[in-house]
């Protein structure tokens, strides 16, 4: 039979040796604040395009281009290749939004290491522009590459590049 001992540890702050920043604090009601830990461990990105105009898509998938990051924790989004290289293994949530032009049908797909996954199909049968979005949760390894691509049944400008973005965050 194993003997167990109960004990109480009374602390209001936890910080690394030599640091002046509290990593964890506990108030008198027992509420725990770990915001410093979470902030320092945030992994993800949010990118968009700042130049007006449409993107010509074709019957083959083409990458959706972006040119600015509002957040990129590890500088892992490559604007030359328009893709995100996973810096930390884990489960990620990705989301895109696009303003799609009227009278178009499109397939928009997340690609993992060059292979289409999580395709969103949208046919707009009126002349009105409509928002199109999609999301996916993926278990990824370090150096997996994620990008967003679009294709249509015919060539032409089919969405506005300044109205939308691509976002991804490590969730676990």
């Amino acid at each position: 039979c194993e003997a167990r001992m109960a004990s109480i540890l009374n602390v209001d702050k936890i910080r690394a040796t030599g640091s002046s920043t509290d990593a964890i604090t506990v108030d008198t009601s027992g509420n725990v604040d770990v915001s410093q830990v979470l902030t320092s461990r945030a992994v993800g990105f949010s990118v968009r395009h700042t130049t007006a105009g449409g993107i010509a898509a074709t019957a083959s998938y083409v990458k959706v281009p972006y040119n600015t990051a509002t957040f990129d924790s590890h500088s892992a989004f490559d604007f030359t290749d328009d893709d995100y290289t996973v810096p930390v293994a884990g489960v990620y949530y990705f989301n895109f939004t696009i303003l799609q032009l009227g009278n178009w049908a499109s397939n928009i797909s997340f690609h993992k290491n060059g292979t289409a996954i999580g395709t969103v199909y949208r046919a707009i049968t009126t002349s009105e522009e409509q928002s199109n979005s999609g999301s996916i949760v993926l278990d990824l390894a370090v150096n997996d590459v994620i990008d967003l691509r679009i294709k249509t049944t015919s060539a032409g400008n089919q969405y506005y590049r300044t109205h939308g973005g691509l976002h991804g965050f490590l969730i676990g």
Side-chain angles (χ1 to χ4, degrees), residues 7-19:
S7 62
I8 297 174
L9 178 62
N10 290 307
V11 298
D12 61 352
K13 297 177 184 179
I14 297 176
R15 71 172 56 148
T17 303
S19 174

Side-chain angles (χ1 to χ4, degrees), residues 11-171:
V11 298
D12 61 352
K13 297 177 184 179
I14 297 176
R15 71 172 56 148
T17 303
S19 174
S20 62
T21 303
D22 298 334
I24 300 172
T25 58
V26 182
D27 68 18
T28 57
S29 297
N31 298 312
V32 178
D33 178 5
V34 294
S35 58
Q36 182 63 35
V37 174
L38 297 177
T39 301
S40 65
R41 294 179 184 237
V43 176
F45 71 98
S46 179
V47 295
R48 60 190 179 89
H49 208 291
T50 59
T51 306
I55 304 298
T58 66
S60 299
Y61 276 114
V62 294
K63 286 186 179 182
V64 176
Y66 300 97
N67 69 357
T68 193
T70 54
F71 170 72
D72 189 355
S73 66
H74 289 72
S75 299
F77 195 89
D78 182 344
F79 291 103
T80 301
D81 291 331
D82 292 305
D83 58 33
Y84 179 74
T85 301
V86 173
V88 176
V91 177
Y92 282 77
Y93 170 82
F94 293 94
N95 173 270
F96 75 85
T97 56
I98 286 178
L99 181 61
Q100 188 169 328
L101 300 179
N103 298 315
W104 286 95
S106 68
N107 290 296
I108 302 170
S109 179
F110 291 100
H111 278 63
K112 175 184 172 187
N113 300 325
T115 301
I117 55 173
T119 301
V120 174
Y121 174 79
R122 178 89 182 259
I124 299 177
T125 57
T126 69
S127 60
E128 294 179 13
E129 301 158 350
Q130 296 181 22
S131 182
N132 197 350
S133 64
S135 59
I136 193 167
V137 175
L138 298 169
D139 190 3
L140 300 172
V142 172
N143 294 324
D144 277 343
V145 177
I146 301 296
D147 62 73
L148 187 68
R149 301 181 194 193
I150 190 167
K151 73 176 179 176
T152 64
T153 54
S154 60
N157 290 336
Q158 72 155 26
Y159 73 94
Y160 290 124
R161 56 186 183 195
T162 57
H163 300 280
L166 177 63
H167 325 280
F169 302 93
L170 176 68
I171 58 174

